[in-house]
Amino acid sequence: MGNKEEEDTEEAWLQLRPVEPSPSQCCGSGCSPCVFDLYHRDLARWEAARASNDRSLLSGKQSQSCPSNLSPETFLAFHISAMDKITKDTYHVRFALPGNSPLGLHPGQHLVLRGIVDDLEIQRAYTPISPANAEGYFEVLIKCYQTGLMSRCVKSWRVGDIAFWRGPFGSFYYKPNEYGELLMLAAGTGLAPMVPILKSITDSADDETFVTLVCCFKTFEGIYLKTFLQEQARFWNVRTFFVLSQETSPEQLPWSYREKTHFGRLDQDLIEELVGCCRRKPFALVCGSPKFTEDMAKYLLCAGLTKNSYFLF
């Protein structure tokens, strides 16, 4: 009888043992805590509880640092309140927050989205583009890829559906007037972290930071948030430039874009020109593909910036 009870107890504890995440559950963005950090924390908690035969040790206090109760450790459900396809492969999605609560992120911080495709759990990082002080909602840009697993999940979304997020993550904290000028280098959806930072600057009458925003896209039609970018460029301290890799003729562009658009790629010569025309000593923010980020870091160093004069999202 005693052996049977011991076996049942052992089986019960084994059922409570945390399951190690699969590689697909890591978004690869360097989040802290990562899903593997959480696994090792829960495993240590389980081992201590099992050794003490005390299941109450399995629970721990959750982080509740954000007004929306968002937590880096636990996924929370948010309803999709609006969803627009803004280019052939990119969606602008709005999520509702309870009441009029703010999300509680610093401008430029990101969240991790969880999706399930063919019984496989996947996680990807996205940066909200909504203002940091937005109440009752947050918004993200999500680019879908033909073979992307998360893309399949996103394409299936409809207004009213639920998506699961955790966060915030990210170590860049913008402080008003901390830098003389921000040189923002963004490729594609790498524009996302720049948007709330830029908005926080232009929304504040006391923030006199200059901003030079360089947006890299393949085509003019593929540029995100054109209206927003045009509005921001009207501020006295903001300049916007565009680099289009698959356009060749300025005659194809509206007049308002012709003087501030370069054709080809953002290369060493153009970076040196941009750094040279900054009105104050620049601090650079870079976000894009891994290759874009790597190239920009190299170009900025060659242009005279030091490693503590730029941040790579």
Side-chain angles (χ1 to χ4, degrees):
M1 185 71 176
N3 289 339
K4 180 67 167 60
E5 288 179 354
E6 289 178 5
E7 290 175 3
D8 290 345
T9 300
E10 179 69 13
E11 179 66 24
W13 276 108
L14 291 176
Q15 290 178 359
L16 293 171
R17 180 187 174 95
V19 178
E20 184 172 1
S22 65
S24 68
Q25 290 176 268
C26 176
C27 69
S29 299
C31 303
S32 180
C34 171
V35 288
F36 288 99
D37 295 331
L38 297 178
Y39 164 70
H40 291 298
R41 181 207 65 186
D42 291 342
L43 181 61
R45 189 177 287 165
W46 176 83
E47 289 172 343
R50 183 185 181 192
S52 303
N53 198 28
D54 183 357
R55 296 191 185 190
S56 68
L57 297 178
L58 291 173
S59 63
K61 290 186 176 180
Q62 300 293 333
S63 170
Q64 300 293 340
S65 58
C66 293
S68 62
N69 289 334
L70 195 67
S71 165
E73 301 180 2
T74 306
F75 283 98
L76 293 182
F78 296 94
H79 282 90
I80 298 170
S81 58
M83 186 167 180
D84 298 308
K85 191 174 185 178
I86 59 173
T87 69
K88 64 180 181 180
D89 57 10
T90 305
Y91 293 86
H92 183 175
V93 190
R94 173 176 285 204
F95 295 88
L97 294 171
N100 285 320
S101 64
L103 187 59
L105 271 64
H106 294 284
Q109 285 191 302
H110 66 272
L111 303 174
V112 170
L113 172 67
R114 183 179 70 189
I116 305 292
V117 177
D118 296 335
D119 296 325
L120 179 69
E121 180 178 314
I122 48 178
Q123 299 185 26
R124 299 288 184 270
Y126 299 98
T127 303
I129 61 169
S130 41
N133 60 355
E135 296 180 342
Y137 74 94
F138 70 95
E139 297 174 330
V140 295
L141 286 178
I142 300 180
K143 182 174 181 178
C144 292
Y145 299 88
Q146 189 170 0
T147 58
L149 291 176
M150 187 62 80
S151 299
R152 287 172 57 188
C153 186
V154 171
K155 289 177 182 178
S156 72
W157 284 351
R158 299 294 182 268
V159 172
D161 286 352
I162 292 175
F164 292 87
W165 297 88
R166 67 183 178 99
F169 302 100
S171 57
F172 178 77
Y173 299 97
Y174 175 72
K175 298 177 183 178
N177 297 309
E178 182 176 3
Y179 308 106
E181 180 157 0
L182 287 178
L183 174 59
M184 298 177 168
L185 308 176
T189 51
L191 177 63
M194 313 302 178
V195 171
I197 296 171
L198 176 58
K199 193 74 168 65
S200 72
I201 294 172
T202 56
D203 278 350
S204 172
D206 297 323
D207 194 340
E208 298 187 344
T209 304
F210 282 103
V211 177
T212 296
L213 172 61
V214 184
C215 306
C216 303
F217 291 92
K218 292 180 179 179
T219 64
F220 175 76
E221 290 300 321
I223 297 174
Y224 305 137
L225 308 177
K226 290 189 183 75
T227 301
F228 169 81
L229 295 174
Q230 291 284 62
E231 291 171 349
Q232 295 298 301
R234 296 190 182 103
F235 285 90
W236 65 273
N237 54 338
V238 177
R239 298 183 302 180
T240 58
F241 295 98
F242 299 90
V243 180
L244 304 179
S245 62
Q246 294 183 5
E247 300 275 12
T248 57
S249 172
E251 286 72 28
Q252 303 291 328
L253 305 179
W255 282 102
S256 60
Y257 283 84
R258 294 184 184 184
E259 290 188 357
K260 57 184 181 181
T261 299
H262 299 262
F263 301 102
R265 295 192 177 275
L266 187 54
D267 57 16
Q268 180 68 63
D269 291 340
L270 188 49
I271 286 293
E272 291 183 358
E273 180 182 338
L274 288 164
V275 170
C277 73
C278 283
R279 294 148 291 185
R280 297 174 181 167
K281 183 180 179 180
F283 184 90
L285 301 176
V286 181
C287 191
S289 68
K291 182 66 166 63
F292 175 85
T293 302
E294 179 184 346
D295 287 346
M296 293 307 108
K298 180 175 64 177
Y299 298 158
L300 289 168
L301 290 173
C302 291
L305 271 68
T306 60
K307 287 188 176 181
N308 61 359
S309 295
Y310 62 79
F311 182 86
L312 310 177
F313 284 99

